[in-house]
Amino acid sequence: QSSGGNNNQQQQQHKPLPPLLSTPLRHAWVECTALCLSLGSNLPGNLRTDAHSLITKMMEISNWNPRSKMASGGVRLSALMVLGKICVLDDHQDGFDLAKRVSPYAYEILTCCHKGLLSGGAGEPGHRVECVSTAWKLAVACRRSHDANRLMHGGNNNADGGNDQSLSFLATGAMEDRAVMEAIKFIKRATADK
């Protein structure tokens, strides 16, 4: 019985961690999920990965109540990391493909990041940091998508003092107005965060 009691004592000392609490496993999961979206977006027909459903599911998960059982174990942080990763992941065949797929969700993702700043308590600085990181990655994706659309439609007139906006800090029209307003609210909240 002493060996049975010793085994029970070991189980109490070493409770298994949820896999997404492990930073290396979380990063590997995020990388794999983003690559699945990237590679699956180019597949034909029913084999194609549905970018809309994946993005909306990740936004839903990252907005779960942090105290709920479903959100425990790094699930919210991992979903937020996936959103950030797909914003900046380069698809080597079509460099701006994922940026084009993510940029229409700018307002929703920024709202998700803003809620994450508000819900991440003092015990979750990593979640708040990832909210800020995802927001700036989204801004990069919107800029890249806007630049790609502008170049595709011949908006890069540089001869004879034309209007090469790629040198400009501002990218007019890269985000819709409500997304810009949400970004301003987000920046105000992020700068007030200690």
Side-chain angles (χ1 to χ4, degrees):
Q1 280 195 358
S2 64
S3 66
N6 192 17
N7 192 14
N8 190 18
Q9 187 179 24
Q10 284 179 347
Q11 286 178 347
Q12 287 177 353
Q13 286 178 352
H14 302 289
K15 292 182 180 177
L17 282 175
L20 294 177
L21 276 181
S22 166
T23 302
L25 287 179
R26 183 173 53 246
H27 285 289
W29 183 82
V30 166
E31 194 75 32
C32 289
T33 305
L35 284 173
C36 283
L37 177 62
S38 173
L39 298 174
S41 295
N42 297 324
L43 294 175
N46 290 338
L47 298 175
R48 180 174 298 143
T49 303
D50 185 8
H52 169 73
S53 66
L54 183 97
I55 291 169
T56 54
K57 190 64 176 177
M58 291 298 123
M59 287 189 297
E60 177 191 331
I61 291 170
S62 68
N63 280 329
W64 282 347
N65 185 340
R67 291 186 177 92
S68 72
K69 187 168 181 135
M70 290 190 320
S72 65
V75 173
R76 289 176 60 221
L77 180 62
S78 301
L80 200 57
M81 290 173 75
V82 168
L83 287 172
K85 184 65 177 178
I86 61 178
C87 285
V88 294
L89 186 68
D90 250 342
D91 186 357
H92 298 293
Q93 295 172 357
D94 184 14
F96 301 103
D97 185 50
L98 286 179
K100 287 179 185 177
R101 290 175 188 267
V102 172
S103 61
Y105 298 97
Y107 174 74
E108 290 82 5
I109 293 174
L110 280 169
T111 303
C112 179
C113 292
H114 194 185
K115 287 179 182 176
L117 275 182
L118 297 173
S119 73
E124 282 190 279
H127 188 76
R128 294 194 314 272
V129 167
E130 196 58 44
C131 288
V132 173
S133 176
T134 300
W136 74 257
K137 289 175 183 177
L138 176 67
V140 169
C142 289
R143 172 69 182 243
R144 289 172 53 196
S145 174
H146 176 70
D147 288 348
N149 285 338
R150 195 174 42 78
L151 290 174
M152 187 171 37
H153 297 339
N156 194 15
N157 301 330
N158 200 10
D160 301 323
N163 59 2
D164 187 9
Q165 289 182 346
S166 65
L167 302 176
S168 172
F169 177 73
L170 297 174
T172 308
M175 281 187 184
E176 56 188 353
D177 290 342
R178 68 183 185 146
V180 171
M181 296 306 293
E182 186 64 29
I184 291 169
K185 290 179 196 173
F186 176 81
I187 291 168
K188 284 181 182 177
R189 176 65 183 126
T191 55
D193 194 2
K194 307 248 187 263

